[in-house]
Amino acid sequence: DSRGSSLYSSGLSDHWLPDNIDGPPLDVISANMEESFEDDKAEMLAVLMKNHGSFVSSSLVERSSLIQSVAWLSRHVPGCVLKSLIDAIKRARKEKAKAERRRERHKNQKQKPSCSSDI
């Protein structure tokens, strides 16, 4: 019976499965779910490209340029230098995120009504 064959081949136990499973085998259900997911993903991509094609295209070109730059750097710059640069970028991003959180917290504190003793 192919219903549990994918479970057996993966080393998983199927002791929790009832003996009389109605419906398609589990591997067919899994394949249908994957196909549906891919269809949904393709549809979302089509809508995105239709509505925001120029932005997506320019973002992809920019990303491609970055990837090419990183590839060039990895061939021409010692690893320790790259690690140092990456560490500096990570620190800068953390500091920026901290500053944004502080700014947001300060903004939220200003917006809260203060308690008054005039009540």
Side-chain angles (χ1 to χ4, degrees):
D1 186 31
S2 67
R3 291 186 181 132
S5 64
S6 60
L7 292 174
Y8 290 129
S9 63
S10 67
L12 297 173
S13 169
D14 69 343
H15 70 275
W16 53 273
L17 291 174
D19 290 334
N20 56 350
I21 298 176
D22 293 332
L26 295 175
D27 50 351
V28 171
I29 294 171
S30 176
N32 289 341
M33 288 173 59
E34 288 175 22
E35 185 178 308
S36 174
F37 175 74
E38 290 299 321
D39 290 346
D40 291 346
K41 201 163 64 170
E43 187 176 336
M44 282 190 324
L45 187 57
V47 168
L48 181 66
M49 289 302 291
K50 180 180 176 187
N51 296 335
H52 308 285
S54 61
F55 174 76
V56 171
S57 296
S58 65
S59 295
L60 290 174
V61 168
E62 184 178 321
R63 182 174 171 87
S64 172
S65 176
L66 286 172
I67 290 170
Q68 288 175 349
S69 297
V70 169
W72 185 90
L73 282 172
S74 69
R75 288 189 306 269
H76 296 88
V77 177
C80 59
V81 174
L82 290 176
K83 183 179 180 334
S84 174
L85 290 171
I86 290 170
D87 290 345
I89 291 169
K90 286 180 180 177
R91 279 193 304 275
R93 285 180 178 170
K94 283 182 184 177
E95 288 301 317
K96 183 179 177 183
K98 271 187 193 178
E100 287 176 5
R101 284 193 302 271
R102 266 194 306 265
R103 207 173 14 259
E104 190 65 30
R105 203 170 32 246
H106 182 69
K107 179 180 156 187
N108 288 340
Q109 287 173 352
K110 277 186 163 182
Q111 290 177 352
K112 289 182 182 176
S114 60
C115 293
S116 168
S117 59
D118 298 341
I119 300 178

